[in-house]
Amino acid sequence: MLSLAAAGASLDRRPLAGSYGTAVALALLALSPFIVVSTAGQLIQPQLLASLHTSTFGIELTNALANAGYAFGAVLAADLIQRLPARRLYLACEIAFVAGSLLSAFSGNLAEFLVGRAVQGLATGMLLVAALPPLVTRFGVGKLPATAAVIDLGLFGMVTVGPLVGALSAGGQHWRVLFVVLAGLAVLGIVCGLLGFSGGEQTSDIGFDWSAIPVAFAAAVLPFLGVAWAVRDGFTSPGFLVPVIVGVLVLLLLLFRQYRKDEALMPLKMIAHTLPVTGIIVAMTAGAAVTALVELDLVYLLEAQKETPLTAGATLTTQVGGVIAAAWLFARAIRTRWLPALAVLGLIVVGGGGALLLALTPGRAIWLTALVGVLLGFGAGAGVSPALFMAGLSAPSDRLGPTFALVELLRSEAAYLVAPVVLQIALLQPHLGDGVTVGALISIGVCVLGLACGLPVLLLSGVRPHAPDLSRWLDEHEPAYHSPPVAAAVRDV
């Protein structure tokens, strides 16, 4: 008879531990379900309104808290993973995601659905930090190109299939089936975690970061609540202005305190220089513009063209082709000096997609939005993921999780605040076609702003394009890029 110690050792043997394929599965199962439903929501909204007996404001509030949970969850996990074994945190978050998904699936009212979606978002944000960094850092330089492509396809590929998933779920109570399927995917994630999650078990005695976590919670929740409130009372109401203004100020306070702190939770001081700053600007503006333009496309197809949800979702599935092309380029560029150029190119292509949307007319809506989908898919895959890695490679590899948490907090704030505002401005116009034009112009302006801010930071650094030293980054935990201070070339002039 086995002793208790031997039994425990037997249980600790994980047959899939150390497998690259298992690590890929862990990351995709952790992140993809929430990403899919976040872009499917617009197409299942009529069914949610009827099933939950709620209003558009109720659905927007639910989406706001789910997205706020995602943004805050990444920061919370960056703190908790310093004291909790990564495997335990991963499994706990997947279990929470299952619970949130099932609560959403079987909810009979808005409150239950809201709590379920908020739990989904919080769990996914935490899983970003628990599951993604191990995939990037534990399999050597040779696997990094494949990992880059997997992350691009897993994150933005799932974003692009969301409309089609939503369309297939847009009938009667089919949306409940969707959430049950999401719970099933998370169960697979639990199984993979039990069989194959390895490494990251070291913990420290660092205490709870009271200077970051509560402030990050307010910075994530308040602006999203304000944007949701605008659906009900408009952009001039105190319910919109006060939470958004206070939330943005709290976010700036968080960044200031993290920059000044010696042992900060998020390595802001480490990445407050040329390449990561450029990457964060590109990630924020490209993500915001893509989200807004996709929503404008869907609204036009559904409301102006009166297309069925299936037609609208299928039309925008062309984004997948763009993401595949971007992932291929990303995999080739990550070991070269061209990664920043790819990120800037992605932002430019997103702006091009917005410009093409200006030519939208009823007679060419289908093929034009399909073409716009290709550009937006490419722009998201070529802009946001490379920009995310520009920041990650500029910090030590053992600080990748907190770096991703910081960038995702900022990117989420931009994407999920700008897009709903742009959509509401479009819907307030007398004619929806004019509203789409106004929304597209705003989105183009966001891309131009990103270029106007990001390119000078890059060009005034004085640094020549160079390939990242990935071996140094992985083996010695040193930054892969030589990235000078912002505007280093003109500081002494």
Side-chain angles (χ1 to χ4, degrees):
M1 188 174 186
L2 288 175
S3 66
L4 290 178
S10 177
L11 289 173
D12 281 340
R13 295 194 190 103
R14 298 185 283 276
L16 300 180
S19 163
Y20 179 72
T22 302
V24 168
L26 286 168
L28 295 183
L29 290 169
L31 303 177
S32 298
F34 178 78
I35 292 171
V36 168
V37 78
S38 67
T39 54
Q42 195 170 351
L43 288 161
I44 62 174
Q45 181 168 309
Q47 286 72 40
L48 294 175
L49 292 171
S51 299
L52 302 175
H53 309 290
T54 187
S55 63
T56 302
F57 168 68
I59 300 302
E60 288 298 327
L61 182 62
T62 299
N63 294 334
L65 291 179
N67 293 326
Y70 173 80
F72 172 66
V75 179
L76 179 61
D79 180 87
L80 292 179
I81 208 165
Q82 298 177 100
R83 294 183 302 282
L84 297 177
R87 181 171 180 262
R88 187 182 303 172
L89 184 64
Y90 175 90
L91 293 173
C93 291
E94 283 285 36
I95 292 170
F97 190 91
V98 172
S101 299
L102 293 177
L103 179 59
S104 299
F106 297 105
S107 57
N109 54 58
L110 178 66
E112 294 172 354
F113 186 70
L114 186 152
V115 171
R117 291 283 289 124
V119 170
Q120 280 187 321
L122 179 67
T124 304
M126 296 177 72
L127 286 166
L128 173 80
V129 174
L132 200 55
L135 174 62
V136 176
T137 61
R138 290 183 187 152
F139 296 95
V141 174
K143 288 291 187 182
L144 272 178
T147 300
V150 165
I151 291 174
D152 223 0
L153 292 173
L155 295 181
F156 296 101
M158 293 302 104
V159 168
T160 59
V161 301
L164 181 59
V165 171
L168 295 172
S169 307
Q173 300 293 309
H174 294 169
W175 65 270
R176 296 185 186 275
V177 177
L178 170 61
F179 281 93
V180 172
V181 171
L182 297 180
L185 292 174
V187 170
L188 288 178
I190 293 171
V191 173
C192 286
L194 290 172
L195 295 178
F197 199 107
S198 61
E201 304 298 326
Q202 299 82 10
T203 59
S204 70
D205 57 358
I206 299 176
F208 185 80
D209 193 340
W210 290 103
S211 70
I213 303 304
V215 182
F217 179 81
V221 172
L222 288 176
F224 289 101
L225 286 177
V227 170
W229 203 271
V231 173
R232 194 174 82 166
D233 291 341
F235 295 114
T236 59
S237 68
F240 168 73
L241 293 174
V242 173
V244 169
I245 292 173
V246 172
V248 171
L249 291 176
V250 170
L251 176 62
L252 294 176
L253 174 64
L254 172 67
L255 297 179
F256 176 76
R257 294 178 70 174
Q258 289 292 290
Y259 183 83
R260 295 293 300 272
K261 191 173 181 179
D262 290 334
E263 295 184 2
L265 172 63
M266 294 176 288
L268 186 58
K269 188 174 290 187
M270 289 184 183
I271 61 173
H273 43 83
T274 297
L275 287 176
V277 169
T278 303
I280 290 171
I281 292 171
V282 171
M284 291 174 66
T285 52
V290 167
T291 305
L293 290 169
V294 169
E295 292 189 356
L296 289 170
D297 275 348
L298 287 173
V299 163
Y300 188 85
L301 291 172
L302 294 170
E303 302 297 332
Q305 289 291 110
K306 304 300 181 184
E307 302 290 349
T308 65
L310 184 58
T311 299
T315 300
L316 282 176
T317 307
T318 54
Q319 293 178 90
V320 175
V323 170
I324 291 173
W328 181 78
L329 284 176
F330 185 23
R332 295 181 66 85
I334 192 169
R335 301 173 72 169
T336 74
R337 60 181 177 172
W338 300 111
L339 190 61
L342 179 62
V344 172
L345 174 63
L347 182 57
I348 293 171
V349 172
V350 172
L356 193 59
L357 202 60
L358 297 176
L360 193 62
T361 60
R364 50 187 176 186
I366 295 295
W367 70 263
L368 192 61
T369 51
L371 181 56
V372 170
V374 175
L375 296 180
L376 296 182
F378 181 87
V384 182
S385 288
L388 181 67
F389 271 77
M390 285 170 63
L393 294 174
S394 298
S397 58
D398 56 1
R399 299 288 286 160
L400 186 61
T403 303
F404 277 178
L406 173 62
V407 177
E408 280 298 283
L409 173 65
L410 296 174
R411 187 191 68 81
S412 298
E413 293 268 1
Y416 296 120
L417 290 180
V418 171
V421 170
V422 170
L423 184 60
Q424 287 305 309
I425 291 174
L427 294 175
L428 289 173
Q429 305 307 310
H431 301 288
L432 185 54
D434 296 336
V436 170
T437 298
V438 171
L441 287 171
I442 295 173
S443 301
I444 294 168
V446 170
C447 294
V448 171
L449 178 64
L451 291 172
C453 295
L455 277 179
V457 171
L458 191 61
L459 297 176
L460 294 178
S461 67
V463 65
R464 295 177 63 85
H466 62 285
D469 190 340
L470 298 177
S471 296
R472 180 170 178 258
W473 184 68
L474 288 175
D475 299 335
E476 302 176 25
H477 303 300
E478 294 290 337
Y481 279 119
H482 166 62
S483 179
V486 174
V490 296
R491 285 190 175 192
D492 298 327
V493 176

